[in-house]
Amino acid sequence: MSRIGKLPINIPENVDVNYTNSEMTVKGKFGILKMEIPNVINITQNEGEIRIGLNEERKDTKALHGLYRTLINNMILGVSKQFDLTLILKGVGYRAVVQGKELVLSLGYSHPVNIEIPKEISVEVVQNTTINLKSCDKELLGLFAANIRTWRQPEPYKGKGILYKGEQIIRKAGKSGK
């Protein structure tokens, strides 16, 4: 039995959780999230908590036990508190602006980079170089942040690029002269 999978999930008062026909629906202050759950996962809901179990103990189903417990927990945390990520633009002339439903990045290319913002994510730009992302869906938030980051990955020689907040870049020495 999974150590993470056997932990109970606490449900806050302002969150409504429904499980019918292998579909989990979580409603809260910040949105509604839905997820399909395989039939090998058994979910029991008591007053204020959810427990995840397995219908049959096989190697492949044991791997799903902790995974789905964490996914359901992230859904509940997301609709009650929201997840946030911060990206920092490091480099001369790097800047970001939100124009309507697009994020416009100037990253040293000959053209600006336009990225469409999903409707579930709110984007705020602070001081042109800091991008704050908020969403109730942790998976979509991480995917969108990774998509932004692919336009200028941090490089080890000058440390320029798009970084996550708190990320440390291991710097390399440049060429040594003779």
Side-chain angles (χ1 to χ4, degrees):
M1 182 171 249
S2 170
R3 291 182 188 181
I4 293 174
K6 66 183 177 183
L7 295 173
I9 302 170
N10 294 323
I11 304 171
E13 290 95 35
N14 58 351
V15 175
D16 182 36
V17 178
N18 292 323
Y19 176 67
T20 54
N21 298 336
S22 75
E23 182 175 85
M24 175 73 73
T25 305
V26 180
K27 296 179 188 175
K29 184 166 75 169
F30 294 106
I32 300 171
L33 294 175
K34 294 181 181 180
M35 182 175 52
E36 289 288 324
I37 298 188
N39 293 329
V40 295
I41 304 290
N42 181 22
I43 296 178
T44 56
Q45 186 173 349
N46 296 345
E47 64 270 344
E49 74 175 20
I50 295 175
R51 290 198 175 265
I52 311 293
L54 292 173
N55 289 337
E56 50 189 79
E57 299 247 348
R58 293 192 330 247
K59 188 174 183 177
D60 57 337
T61 60
K62 286 180 183 179
L64 297 176
H65 192 198
L67 170 71
Y68 276 94
R69 189 257 177 217
T70 303
L71 290 175
I72 293 168
N73 191 37
N74 285 342
M75 288 171 61
I76 291 172
L77 288 176
V79 297
S80 63
K81 295 181 185 175
Q82 272 197 328
F83 294 104
D84 59 338
L85 253 171
T86 303
L87 296 173
I88 298 167
L89 305 178
K90 255 191 180 173
V92 177
Y94 288 10
R95 66 188 69 229
V97 177
V98 176
Q99 291 179 348
K101 298 201 180 249
E102 283 190 338
L103 179 65
V104 180
L105 301 172
S106 299
L107 299 172
Y109 295 119
S110 61
H111 56 86
V113 176
N114 298 328
I115 302 173
E116 188 175 330
I117 301 170
K119 64 179 181 177
E120 297 89 4
I121 296 177
S122 65
V123 178
E124 179 188 11
V125 176
V126 182
Q127 298 176 354
N128 292 332
T129 59
T130 305
I131 304 170
N132 293 328
L133 306 172
K134 285 188 178 184
S135 177
C136 61
D137 191 349
K138 189 173 186 179
E139 180 181 1
L140 184 67
L141 184 70
L143 196 64
F144 184 65
N147 185 21
I148 294 171
R149 190 179 149 100
T150 56
W151 285 97
R152 274 284 190 219
Q153 297 235 340
E155 54 96 15
Y157 296 103
K158 291 185 180 177
K160 293 169 39 172
I162 301 174
L163 300 109
Y164 293 112
K165 185 178 182 182
E167 181 180 13
Q168 295 291 320
I169 302 217
I170 299 172
R171 302 288 295 272
K172 288 185 178 178
K175 290 184 183 178
S176 58
K178 289 188 177 185

